Amino acid sequence: MSHHTLAADGSDLAPETAAKAATARDALAERDDVLVAFSGGVDSSVVAALACDALGDDAVACTARSETLPAAELDDAERVAGEIGIRHETVTFSELDDPNFVANDGDRCYHCRTMRLGQMYETAQDLGIGTVCDGTNADDPGEGHRPGLRAVEELDVFSPLLDAEITKDEVREIAEAYDLSVADKPSMACLSSRIPTGLEVTEERLTRVEKAERVLREWGFEGFRVRDHDGLARVEIAPDELERALDPAFADAVHEHLTDVGFEYVTLDMAGYRTGSVSPGGNGGEEKDDDTDSDGTDIDLGRQYPR
């Protein structure tokens, strides 16, 4: 199984970005071996690619499986690890075993990240690996309420993207240079982020959110969230896809499908999708509104949804 290498030592990148990528790769090469906390998202995938490039078989990607990880994301992680050519391990645990996580206070992500990274360290120890690294990038510390970063600091996780001052945009550029399929993949927070702070995280709520979002994904939506307000589904759709959601056929179909998976009521949030809308102080960022599809053609309001 061959692994990807950075195209011509970053010749496809802007000089500054190429230099940062080389810095991160060299820092990884200084380690005897590394285990990458691997979600299959673009950040951890770039770290895995850099690590595989630098260390070959001495780099391992590890994905933590739990109730908060959608099955589709695990499938993606397995696929992308194979694409990179890095050894892929999985470890299974349950965040619901921790009452602090279940309580879903403002530090839920801290408790989650502490448990996940704890599983990474246990796996690394079992494999005789001395370094655990993650995909924190240079933009992450400035993105509002991010208690999970405290766990990264407390556990002394190595963050090569952050240390090399690689921004999110540069991460995507490096992913393209590695020819990774996830270069344009939207960020995907865990399923518990769909449950408002203060409302307990339960397996029932996580399951119906996952099923509801699977329906929207199968219908071709890309930017969305289904927030679970104790049985009321608040559907957020990205501004450039929102007009499609105003189709009466969509309203009928989404109500039918989401009540089938366990929601009592289904609503469409007219403010559209924004990250962190149920987190403390979360108001999301502005996204450009657009009334056309990506190819510039008018949106087809006659689109039919499977019933």
Side-chain angles (χ1 to χ4, degrees):
M1 182 168 55
S2 62
H3 63 265
H4 289 206
T5 56
L6 197 58
D9 276 342
S11 62
D12 292 341
L13 295 168
E16 183 178 358
T17 304
K20 290 181 180 181
T23 296
R25 184 177 57 187
D26 292 347
L28 287 159
E30 292 174 0
R31 312 282 170 141
D32 292 331
D33 39 40
V34 300
L35 182 143
V36 181
F38 185 70
S39 68
V42 63
D43 295 315
S44 63
S45 293
V46 164
V47 174
L50 288 165
C52 191
D53 201 350
L55 295 168
D57 293 341
D58 291 321
V60 175
C62 185
T63 303
R65 304 194 299 182
S66 71
E67 298 92 342
T68 66
L69 179 71
E73 291 300 301
L74 178 58
D75 291 342
D76 269 1
E78 292 173 343
R79 177 185 57 79
V80 177
E83 185 178 301
I84 294 168
I86 192 170
R87 175 181 169 185
H88 187 223
E89 299 286 337
T90 61
V91 59
T92 301
F93 77 109
S94 176
E95 287 119 333
L96 300 182
D97 289 340
D98 183 354
N100 292 315
F101 174 83
V102 171
N104 195 18
D105 61 12
D107 281 337
R108 182 201 66 234
C109 289
Y110 168 76
H111 302 304
C112 173
R113 186 71 70 89
T114 298
M115 285 186 284
R116 285 182 174 270
L117 290 173
Q119 293 294 321
M120 297 296 109
Y121 273 104
E122 288 185 17
T123 303
Q125 184 175 18
D126 290 343
L127 296 175
I129 294 175
T131 298
V132 171
C133 53
D134 79 336
T136 302
N137 66 61
D139 286 336
D140 286 335
E143 290 189 344
H145 187 70
R146 298 295 296 272
L149 296 182
R150 179 156 49 97
V152 173
E153 295 175 0
E154 290 179 357
L155 292 171
D156 197 26
V157 176
F158 175 40
S159 302
L161 304 180
L162 177 62
D163 288 358
E165 300 182 351
I166 297 174
T167 66
K168 186 70 174 187
D169 286 344
E170 290 172 325
V171 169
R172 295 194 183 280
E173 292 168 11
I174 296 168
E176 289 181 0
Y178 270 111
D179 195 26
L180 299 182
S181 62
V182 293
D184 295 322
K185 182 178 180 178
S187 298
M188 175 60 73
C190 81
L191 291 172
S192 60
S193 68
R194 281 55 152 183
I195 301 172
T197 301
L199 187 63
E200 284 194 352
V201 179
T202 66
E203 187 169 2
E204 178 186 12
R205 289 170 179 148
L206 294 171
T207 297
R208 66 190 176 203
V209 165
E210 179 177 8
K211 289 180 178 178
E213 293 195 347
R214 184 186 305 143
V215 168
L216 294 177
R217 190 173 297 107
E218 289 173 350
W219 289 348
F221 287 92
E222 295 182 359
F224 62 86
R225 290 289 187 267
V226 178
R227 312 291 186 184
D228 188 334
H229 292 263
D230 199 16
L232 182 150
R234 176 164 59 89
V235 180
E236 297 179 359
I237 303 291
D240 60 350
E241 298 180 280
L242 186 57
E243 192 169 356
R244 288 169 52 197
L246 300 178
D247 181 352
F250 171 82
D252 288 343
V254 77
H255 178 268
E256 177 181 333
H257 280 74
L258 268 58
T259 53
D260 281 349
V261 304
F263 286 101
E264 297 178 58
Y265 305 99
V266 181
T267 65
L268 178 65
D269 190 331
M270 303 309 292
Y273 165 54
R274 64 269 191 211
T275 59
S277 69
V278 294
S279 299
N283 55 10
E286 292 184 2
E287 297 185 55
K288 182 180 178 182
D289 197 2
D290 193 351
D291 61 1
T292 62
D293 283 321
S294 58
D295 63 357
T297 59
D298 292 337
I299 292 172
D300 178 12
L301 292 183
R303 173 176 178 157
Q304 296 300 304
Y305 296 88
R307 301 298 297 272

